[in-house]
Amino acid sequence: MLTTRRQALKTFTAAAIASTALGRISSFAQTPAPAAAPKPPTGPFTLPPLPYVYDALEPSIDAETMHLHHDKHHAAYVNKLNEALAKEPSFVVAPGSNVDDLLKNLATVPESIRLAVRNQGGGHSNHSLFWQTLSAKGSAPTGALAKALDADLGGLDKVKAEMAKLGAGVFGSGWSWLVLDGGKKLTLIALPNQDSPLMEGHYPLFGIDVWEHAYYLKYHNLRADYITAIWNIVNWDFISKRYDAAMAA
Ligand code: MN3
């Protein structure tokens, strides 16, 4: 009795699968060719060009990493941010808007796309700053920033050591940051994923991207070696000016 039932069940199941498969095949055959996929949105945000050639940061950061990091990874953050915003057309972001304003006001973004804006918008903002804070020839902090690094954080050597420690301590992906806090004091923090310091009420001055895509081709698992090398190509002239502008604001 039991065996018979089992056999019947097996037969029924096999028949059901066969009929489902046939049904799929016939409905697939009758489906008209789909219309061309809609083109992905091209705005409101666009990928900024690198401010130097791809091999400018050699040997600290290799050209192939720069190609992938900028042309693929950063581009993907921009595209996915635009795609997310396209899902909520009632939430209008004008072309030319600054992604940083979105991140500072994340609570105003519709909940259905808030996480996407946080991740993809954070990625766009963080990388847009990252490229500008690096240059072929490194420099040293100057002026008010140099004084503040001494006064607030005990000097550049301590900053380097602490940012390396924070970067090494990021489990998985994230960034090690030099920021201005709400009281305009220099502070060092680590943030996970593409979270922006702007979301925490901080103003980002310089971040070290410790995602594996930032270093793995050249440094493999040696994140600490990548962080050590990056100090050779930090554009402190740019960061010093960014600090001055933020203090004057
Ligand atoms: Mn990156």
XYZ file of all heavy atoms in Angstrom, residues 100-167:
493
model
N 27.691 64.695 -2.375
C 27.935 64.889 -0.942
C 26.677 65.412 -0.228
O 26.432 65.074 0.929
C 29.093 65.868 -0.718
C 30.431 65.281 -1.165
O 30.442 64.124 -1.641
O 31.449 65.971 -1.045
N 25.899 66.240 -0.932
C 24.663 66.760 -0.320
C 23.653 65.636 -0.076
O 22.919 65.658 0.912
C 24.057 67.852 -1.210
C 24.941 69.099 -1.246
O 25.640 69.352 -0.249
O 24.942 69.798 -2.270
N 23.617 64.668 -0.984
C 22.735 63.510 -0.787
C 23.146 62.743 0.464
O 22.298 62.324 1.255
C 22.854 62.551 -1.980
C 21.924 62.685 -3.165
C 22.181 61.524 -4.132
C 20.469 62.677 -2.728
N 24.453 62.559 0.624
C 24.954 61.755 1.746
C 24.749 62.459 3.085
O 24.485 61.823 4.098
C 26.430 61.428 1.534
C 26.717 60.594 0.272
C 28.207 60.528 -0.011
C 26.152 59.181 0.414
N 24.845 63.800 3.058
C 24.633 64.563 4.293
C 23.163 64.530 4.706
O 22.836 64.747 5.868
C 25.067 66.026 4.086
C 26.567 66.237 4.207
C 26.912 67.715 4.157
C 27.457 68.074 2.800
N 27.901 69.473 2.685
N 22.301 64.315 3.719
C 20.853 64.343 3.971
C 20.208 63.013 3.608
O 19.136 62.979 3.006
C 20.217 65.481 3.161
C 20.817 66.829 3.536
O 20.601 67.313 4.636
N 21.580 67.418 2.643
N 20.870 61.939 3.989
C 20.409 60.608 3.602
C 18.979 60.317 4.080
O 18.234 59.579 3.434
C 21.382 59.572 4.167
C 21.560 58.264 3.398
C 21.890 58.499 1.935
C 22.646 57.434 4.048
N 18.610 60.932 5.208
C 17.271 60.667 5.760
C 16.166 61.193 4.851
O 15.021 60.751 4.949
C 17.149 61.291 7.149
N 16.498 62.136 3.960
C 15.479 62.677 3.048
C 15.309 61.802 1.802
O 14.388 62.018 1.020
C 15.849 64.109 2.575
O 17.029 64.040 1.761
C 16.107 65.037 3.742
N 16.207 60.849 1.606
C 16.131 59.961 0.438
C 15.056 58.910 0.698
O 14.996 58.353 1.798
C 17.504 59.279 0.204
C 17.430 58.266 -0.923
C 18.572 60.324 -0.085
N 14.174 58.639 -0.282
C 13.135 57.627 -0.067
C 13.736 56.305 0.437
O 14.794 55.886 -0.031
C 12.520 57.453 -1.456
C 12.789 58.738 -2.164
C 14.094 59.244 -1.617
N 13.038 55.698 1.389
C 13.574 54.515 2.045
C 13.879 53.388 1.062
O 14.830 52.629 1.257
C 12.592 54.041 3.118
C 13.267 53.278 4.217
C 12.278 52.746 5.239
O 11.137 53.240 5.290
O 12.660 51.817 5.971
N 13.079 53.301 -0.006
C 13.243 52.189 -0.954
C 14.609 52.217 -1.653
O 15.086 51.189 -2.118
C 12.136 52.232 -2.011
O 12.237 53.433 -2.759
N 15.234 53.389 -1.726
C 16.544 53.480 -2.406
C 17.643 54.008 -1.487
O 18.758 54.259 -1.921
C 16.460 54.372 -3.674
C 16.016 55.808 -3.317
C 15.518 53.767 -4.720
C 16.247 56.811 -4.450
N 17.314 54.143 -0.184
C 18.272 54.793 0.724
C 19.561 53.989 0.866
O 20.661 54.542 0.857
C 17.628 55.028 2.092
C 18.396 56.051 2.932
C 17.685 56.343 4.240
N 16.358 56.896 4.010
C 15.323 56.760 4.841
N 15.463 56.082 5.970
N 14.156 57.286 4.544
N 19.443 52.678 0.978
C 20.640 51.847 1.149
C 21.501 51.892 -0.113
O 22.733 51.968 -0.030
C 20.258 50.401 1.489
C 21.437 49.465 1.756
C 22.270 49.943 2.943
C 20.949 48.026 1.977
N 20.845 51.883 -1.276
C 21.591 51.956 -2.542
C 22.316 53.296 -2.652
O 23.475 53.355 -3.077
C 20.658 51.748 -3.727
N 21.646 54.374 -2.250
C 22.276 55.702 -2.313
C 23.439 55.767 -1.323
O 24.504 56.320 -1.634
C 21.240 56.817 -2.041
C 21.928 58.169 -1.852
C 20.234 56.893 -3.190
N 23.243 55.182 -0.153
C 24.323 55.143 0.840
C 25.561 54.399 0.291
O 26.682 54.902 0.372
C 23.796 54.438 2.091
C 24.835 54.154 3.142
C 24.155 53.481 4.332
N 25.107 53.034 5.315
C 24.759 52.558 6.513
N 23.485 52.481 6.863
N 25.685 52.166 7.358
N 25.328 53.225 -0.293
C 26.452 52.422 -0.786
C 27.050 52.975 -2.078
O 28.260 53.174 -2.178
C 25.998 50.971 -1.030
C 25.725 50.239 0.269
O 26.272 50.577 1.321
N 24.867 49.228 0.217
N 26.199 53.213 -3.079
C 26.704 53.635 -4.394
C 27.091 55.116 -4.363
O 28.106 55.503 -4.947
C 25.645 53.387 -5.488
C 24.996 52.003 -5.450
C 25.971 50.851 -5.604
O 27.087 51.039 -6.073
N 25.568 49.654 -5.200
N 26.283 55.935 -3.692
C 26.625 57.355 -3.564
C 27.873 57.532 -2.720
O 28.727 58.374 -3.009
N 27.991 56.739 -1.670
C 29.207 56.768 -0.848
C 30.419 56.397 -1.688
O 31.456 57.052 -1.627
N 30.272 55.356 -2.496
C 31.367 54.929 -3.370
C 31.762 56.034 -4.340
O 32.950 56.286 -4.568
N 30.760 56.693 -4.903
C 31.041 57.785 -5.861
C 31.764 58.942 -5.157
O 32.785 59.450 -5.628
C 29.724 58.249 -6.481
C 29.850 59.397 -7.420
N 30.967 59.592 -8.228
C 29.011 60.447 -7.689
C 30.799 60.693 -8.945
N 29.637 61.233 -8.633
N 31.267 59.351 -4.016
C 31.866 60.468 -3.274
C 33.285 60.129 -2.808
O 34.220 60.909 -2.998
C 30.984 60.808 -2.071
O 31.643 61.718 -1.208
N 33.429 58.952 -2.201
C 34.732 58.576 -1.643
C 35.811 58.504 -2.727
O 36.934 58.973 -2.537
C 34.631 57.220 -0.938
C 33.758 57.288 0.308
O 33.484 58.358 0.826
N 33.320 56.125 0.793
N 35.460 57.903 -3.879
C 36.465 57.755 -4.935
C 36.755 59.084 -5.626
O 37.904 59.347 -6.000
C 36.030 56.684 -5.934
C 36.130 55.290 -5.363
N 35.144 54.743 -4.592
C 37.133 54.377 -5.411
C 35.534 53.528 -4.194
N 36.730 53.273 -4.677
N 35.718 59.927 -5.771
C 35.949 61.245 -6.393
C 36.987 62.018 -5.589
O 37.850 62.710 -6.156
C 34.639 62.034 -6.464
O 33.707 61.365 -7.289
N 36.912 61.914 -4.265
C 37.902 62.576 -3.414
C 39.253 61.858 -3.480
O 40.310 62.497 -3.568
C 37.395 62.628 -1.966
C 38.368 63.219 -0.936
C 38.703 64.690 -1.246
C 37.796 63.114 0.487
N 39.214 60.534 -3.444
C 40.438 59.721 -3.395
C 41.403 60.092 -4.533
O 42.586 60.322 -4.301
C 40.047 58.250 -3.472
C 41.172 57.265 -3.245
C 41.936 57.300 -2.093
C 41.438 56.268 -4.184
C 42.947 56.366 -1.870
C 42.444 55.330 -3.968
C 43.204 55.379 -2.820
N 40.881 60.160 -5.777
C 41.773 60.453 -6.920
C 42.459 61.801 -6.732
O 43.630 61.975 -7.075
C 40.989 60.459 -8.239
C 40.085 59.291 -8.456
C 38.772 59.316 -8.850
C 40.404 57.893 -8.311
N 38.267 58.042 -8.928
C 39.238 57.155 -8.611
C 41.565 57.195 -7.943
C 39.189 55.751 -8.560
C 41.534 55.806 -7.882
C 40.355 55.107 -8.192
N 41.732 62.768 -6.201
C 42.290 64.114 -6.054
C 43.345 64.193 -4.946
O 44.173 65.102 -4.947
C 41.174 65.115 -5.736
C 40.182 65.301 -6.866
C 39.066 66.252 -6.459
O 38.103 65.853 -5.821
N 39.221 67.505 -6.816
N 43.270 63.276 -3.983
C 44.193 63.352 -2.852
C 45.496 62.602 -3.116
O 46.328 62.490 -2.219
C 43.559 62.776 -1.570
O 43.180 61.415 -1.812
C 42.352 63.594 -1.129
N 45.644 62.075 -4.343
C 46.881 61.387 -4.715
C 47.530 62.157 -5.862
O 46.843 62.855 -6.612
C 46.580 59.946 -5.146
C 45.834 59.089 -4.113
C 45.508 57.719 -4.696
C 46.638 58.938 -2.824
N 48.846 62.034 -5.996
C 49.526 62.684 -7.117
C 50.855 61.987 -7.356
O 51.366 61.275 -6.484
C 49.753 64.167 -6.843
O 50.746 64.321 -5.857
N 51.390 62.216 -8.560
C 52.622 61.524 -8.969
C 53.733 61.766 -7.963
O 54.464 60.854 -7.578
C 53.031 61.988 -10.356
N 53.885 63.015 -7.567
C 54.924 63.263 -6.556
C 54.237 63.654 -5.253
O 53.356 64.517 -5.242
C 55.924 64.319 -7.012
C 55.370 65.694 -7.280
C 56.527 66.617 -7.654
C 56.066 68.026 -7.933
N 55.621 68.790 -6.792
N 54.611 62.999 -4.219
C 54.017 63.286 -2.924
C 54.399 64.684 -2.470
O 55.200 65.368 -3.102
N 53.789 65.121 -1.406
C 54.131 66.427 -0.852
C 53.976 66.328 0.662
O 53.657 65.267 1.187
C 53.203 67.504 -1.436
O 51.853 67.118 -1.318
N 54.201 67.430 1.336
C 54.073 67.426 2.801
C 52.962 68.395 3.203
O 52.694 69.365 2.486
C 55.398 67.853 3.432
N 52.294 68.123 4.321
C 51.263 69.065 4.780
C 51.874 70.445 4.989
O 53.029 70.564 5.407
C 50.803 68.469 6.122
C 51.270 67.058 6.116
C 52.483 67.006 5.248
N 51.094 71.470 4.678
C 51.605 72.840 4.819
C 50.625 73.690 5.627
O 49.474 73.292 5.849
C 51.791 73.508 3.438
O 50.552 73.405 2.724
C 52.891 72.846 2.636
N 51.086 74.855 6.021
C 50.237 75.886 6.613
C 49.442 75.427 7.813
O 49.939 74.701 8.690
N 48.178 75.840 7.818
C 47.318 75.582 8.971
C 47.115 74.086 9.198
O 47.013 73.635 10.340
C 45.967 76.276 8.761
N 47.060 73.307 8.112
C 46.858 71.860 8.282
C 48.049 71.231 8.999
O 47.874 70.394 9.897
C 46.636 71.173 6.928
C 46.514 69.645 6.999
C 45.323 69.218 7.868
C 46.399 69.024 5.611
N 49.263 71.639 8.614
C 50.448 71.092 9.266
C 50.401 71.371 10.772
O 50.694 70.498 11.599
C 51.707 71.693 8.643
N 50.005 72.609 11.122
C 49.915 72.977 12.550
C 48.832 72.159 13.249
O 49.000 71.705 14.380
C 49.609 74.469 12.688
C 50.807 75.341 12.368
C 50.542 76.819 12.687
C 51.661 77.677 12.118
N 51.163 78.801 11.312
N 47.694 71.987 12.582
C 46.585 71.256 13.198
C 46.911 69.766 13.352
O 46.494 69.138 14.327
C 45.316 71.437 12.361
N 47.664 69.217 12.402
C 48.063 67.803 12.530
C 48.911 67.624 13.783
O 48.780 66.626 14.507
C 48.829 67.344 11.282
C 47.990 67.096 10.019
C 48.893 66.912 8.807
C 47.077 65.886 10.176
N 49.781 68.606 14.037
C 50.603 68.554 15.253
C 49.731 68.727 16.498
O 49.822 67.949 17.449
C 51.663 69.677 15.229
C 52.778 69.371 14.236
O 52.926 68.186 13.876
O 53.479 70.315 13.819
N 48.886 69.760 16.473
C 48.122 70.112 17.675
C 47.047 69.070 18.002
O 46.858 68.691 19.158
C 47.472 71.484 17.484
N 46.340 68.599 16.979
C 45.190 67.718 17.227
C 45.583 66.243 17.292
O 44.932 65.443 17.982
C 44.129 67.880 16.125
C 43.497 69.279 16.099
O 43.745 70.045 17.054
O 42.770 69.588 15.135
N 46.631 65.865 16.516
C 46.888 64.426 16.361
C 48.329 64.023 16.651
O 48.705 62.870 16.436
C 46.507 63.986 14.937
C 45.012 64.160 14.573
C 44.789 63.905 13.091
C 44.131 63.238 15.407
N 49.145 64.976 17.125
C 50.502 64.608 17.532
C 51.496 64.515 16.390
O 52.576 63.944 16.549
N 51.116 65.036 15.202
C 52.079 65.085 14.095
C 51.850 64.018 13.039
O 51.134 63.029 13.259
N 52.487 64.245 11.875
C 52.244 63.394 10.715
C 52.639 61.932 10.939
O 51.942 61.022 10.484
C 52.993 63.963 9.499
C 52.714 63.265 8.160
C 51.227 63.275 7.832
C 53.516 63.924 7.042
N 53.737 61.698 11.641
C 54.156 60.304 11.843
C 53.110 59.524 12.631
O 52.830 58.360 12.336
C 55.514 60.252 12.570
C 56.658 60.662 11.636
O 56.433 60.649 10.408
O 57.738 61.010 12.142
N 52.527 60.180 13.632
C 51.485 59.514 14.413
C 50.243 59.280 13.562
O 49.556 58.263 13.708
C 51.130 60.334 15.653
C 52.166 60.190 16.747
C 51.641 60.645 18.096
C 52.694 60.377 19.166
N 52.518 61.206 20.349
N 49.939 60.254 12.685
C 48.788 60.104 11.796
C 48.982 58.892 10.890
O 48.082 58.069 10.712
C 48.575 61.389 10.951
C 47.562 61.162 9.845
C 48.127 62.531 11.857
N 50.175 58.790 10.313
C 50.466 57.656 9.424
C 50.315 56.326 10.166
O 49.703 55.384 9.659
C 51.895 57.767 8.870
C 52.071 58.863 7.834
C 53.521 58.856 7.331
C 53.731 59.961 6.297
N 55.128 59.992 5.826
N 50.852 56.269 11.365
C 50.792 55.020 12.131
C 49.346 54.680 12.493
O 48.919 53.526 12.380
C 51.641 55.146 13.399
N 48.597 55.689 12.896
C 47.219 55.430 13.330
C 46.321 55.084 12.137
O 45.468 54.200 12.237
C 46.673 56.663 14.074
C 45.284 56.489 14.667
C 45.163 55.383 15.719
O 46.199 54.978 16.303
O 44.024 54.912 15.949
N 46.525 55.783 10.999
C 45.706 55.461 9.825
C 46.024 54.060 9.310
O 45.140 53.352 8.816
C 45.890 56.500 8.717
C 45.121 57.791 8.987
S 45.139 58.955 7.590
C 43.849 58.278 6.531
N 47.290 53.650 9.424
C 47.665 52.290 9.025
C 46.990 51.277 9.941
O 46.467 50.250 9.488
C 49.178 52.126 9.072
N 46.970 51.597 11.241
C 46.352 50.688 12.215
C 44.846 50.585 11.959
O 44.280 49.490 11.971
C 46.620 51.233 13.628
C 46.530 50.199 14.731
C 47.079 50.772 16.034
C 45.994 50.790 17.083
N 46.396 51.570 18.270
N 44.213 51.721 11.723
C 42.770 51.714 11.448
C 42.472 50.946 10.158
O 41.513 50.177 10.078
C 42.235 53.151 11.328
C 42.151 53.951 12.625
C 41.862 55.419 12.323
C 41.061 53.382 13.533
N 43.328 51.158 9.130
C 43.128 50.476 7.852
C 43.303 48.972 7.990
O 42.537 48.187 7.421
